[in-house]
Amino acid sequence: LTMSAACRAIHLLGLLCSMTSEVMASSTPGDKRWLVPGRPMLTLEAADEMASAAVAEARRRGFNDVAVYVLDATGRTVVSKTMLGCPALPQKLAHAKAMACVSTHASSSRALRDKYVDSNRVPQLTAMTIVGTDCQMPIAAVPGAVLCRDEADNVIGAIGVSGASADEDEHCAITAARAIGLVPTQKSALA
């Protein structure tokens, strides 16, 4: 480093420090211009209520034991519950079904399946599944999960259910989302 380059670096550092000081001095506590406006977030209590509602619906209807995953809008697991008689694979599938919705904003895992399988785009869905798994975001385009939105159409999260039949899983997920006032766009195949 030459002396002139060092002097320029010190001068630039001084300018940067003075600019930072000016910005800090002009900011006031609680200054909102530095904050990104937030969106509604799923609470732990709401996620727990959803998971409990899905389990209760499976019991009430006499479905096989199920596993339930509730994810927030970022794909983070907020709550997971598994009925004691549910095997191990449905637990992974419930998570992957919910992740399919929240990571693609598909209205349901059924809608995602229909979009790619019915239109002969299986290779694209396969590639998405491989990449998702590699990124620790497994997706399963199998009915049983719904994307959850609030009344203003903000994505709040997703709920995935697995262990019963696909239609029964999806019904439990829809029932659970409605239990706390969220708006699933998928209609239940069961009455």
Side-chain angles (χ1 to χ4, degrees), residues 168-191:
E168 292 167 348
D169 292 342
E170 184 178 73
H171 173 77
C172 290
I174 292 168
T175 299
R178 288 182 178 149
I180 65 161
L182 294 179
V183 184
T185 55
Q186 183 69 37
K187 304 292 184 219
S188 177
L190 306 178

Side-chain angles (χ1 to χ4, degrees), residues 17 55 161 163:
C17 288
V55 167
V161 179

Side-chain angles (χ1 to χ4, degrees), residues 4 12 20 36 38 74 95-96 113 118 133 139 168 176 178-179 187:
S4 64
L12 288 173
T20 303
V36 175
T74 68
H95 179 249
R113 181 203 63 187
D118 290 351
T133 300
I139 64 169
E168 292 167 348
R178 288 182 178 149
K187 304 292 184 219

Side-chain angles (χ1 to χ4, degrees), residues 68-81:
V68 181
Y69 268 78
V70 181
L71 309 181
D72 69 9
T74 68
R76 177 179 46 195
T77 300
V78 181
V79 169
S80 67
K81 291 187 177 187

Side-chain angles (χ1 to χ4, degrees), residues 7-107:
C7 289
R8 277 188 295 224
I10 291 170
H11 177 70
L12 288 173
L13 185 58
L15 285 174
L16 182 60
C17 288
S18 69
M19 289 170 45
T20 303
S21 306
E22 289 173 24
V23 168
M24 295 300 283
S26 68
S27 297
T28 58
D31 191 348
K32 301 288 188 213
R33 65 187 168 145
W34 302 111
L35 303 176
V36 175
R39 288 188 155 193
M41 293 182 66
L42 190 61
T43 65
L44 176 61
E45 295 78 14
D48 188 53
E49 182 66 28
M50 288 173 69
S52 293
V55 167
E57 184 67 6
R59 278 194 181 119
R60 187 180 76 76
R61 292 273 193 138
F63 299 159
N64 288 342
D65 284 1
V66 297
V68 181
Y69 268 78
V70 181
L71 309 181
D72 69 9
T74 68
R76 177 179 46 195
T77 300
V78 181
V79 169
S80 67
K81 291 187 177 187
T82 304
M83 296 170 73
L84 295 178
C86 184
L89 184 58
Q91 296 169 45
K92 301 293 185 189
L93 288 172
H95 179 249
K97 290 176 184 184
M99 186 63 74
C101 293
V102 82
S103 65
T104 65
H105 285 193
S107 61

Side-chain angles (χ1 to χ4, degrees), residues 39 149-156 183 185:
R39 288 188 155 193
R149 295 181 180 271
D150 66 7
E151 291 175 351
D153 208 32
N154 295 305
V155 172
I156 303 299
V183 184
T185 55

